[in-house]
């Protein structure tokens, strides 16, 4: 009960991010975590870690491409104002507990390495 609030219930506490490249055999990373090799990869990142995650695409003989995940405010958490004035639901659960007060500003990324 205390691990759920509006943003967490409706939008979850993780974000699914899709990466694509126009170059075959691209290797994808989220920070230093290997995601896969090919032309696409998918990862799930806890919302609490979105602000500190950088996506990267590499290939031998190419310049790597990287981008941080940009976040925005998830207004769904404001429904907590009607539950408990937002004290527990917004501050404690969505803010501190799950990080669900934020969401990824975009979930699809094209990271194509450039030839050297």
């Amino acid at each position: 009960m205390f691990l759920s609030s509006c943003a967490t219930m409706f939008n979850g506490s993780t974000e699914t991010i899709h990466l694509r490249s126009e170059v075959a055999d691209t290797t994808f990373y989220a920070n230093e975590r290997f995601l896969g090799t090919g032309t696409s990869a998918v990862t799930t990142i806890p919302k609490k870690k979105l602000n500190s995650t950088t996506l990267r695409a590499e290939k031998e003989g190419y310049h790597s491409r990287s981008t941080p995940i940009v976040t925005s405010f998830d207004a769904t958490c404001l429904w907590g104002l009607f539950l408990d004035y937002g004290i527990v639901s917004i501050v404690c659960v969505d803010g501190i507990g799950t990080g669900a007060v934020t969401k990824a500003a975009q979930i699809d990324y094209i990271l194509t390495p450039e030839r050297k």
Side-chain angles (χ1 to χ4, degrees):
M1 165 95 180
F2 290 111
L3 295 177
S4 282
S5 63
C6 294
T8 305
M9 285 190 310
F10 293 116
N11 301 326
S13 61
T14 61
E15 197 79 70
T16 301
I17 306 293
H18 302 266
L19 296 99
R20 290 183 298 166
S21 172
E22 296 173 357
V23 176
D25 299 322
T26 299
T27 304
F28 297 98
Y29 297 91
N31 289 338
E32 299 304 316
R33 186 169 49 101
F34 172 76
L35 302 178
T37 301
T39 57
S40 65
V42 177
T43 186
T44 301
I45 301 171
K47 289 187 177 183
K48 286 181 81 166
K49 295 185 178 187
L50 286 175
N51 283 326
S52 62
T53 301
T54 299
L55 305 172
R56 189 174 74 250
E58 297 180 347
K59 182 171 176 160
E60 186 74 33
Y62 288 71
H63 293 287
S64 66
R65 299 288 292 231
S66 63
T67 186
I69 294 178
V70 177
T71 60
S72 61
F73 178 71
D74 188 348
T76 307
C77 72
L78 294 177
W79 284 101
L81 292 172
F82 296 111
L83 295 175
D84 60 358
Y85 301 109
I87 296 168
V88 173
S89 60
I90 297 173
V91 176
C92 295
V93 178
D94 284 340
I96 298 168
T98 64
V101 294
T102 62
K103 61 182 178 179
Q106 81 181 63
I107 59 169
D108 295 308
Y109 290 85
I110 299 175
L111 294 174
T112 302
E114 293 182 33
R115 275 199 191 275
K116 288 186 177 180

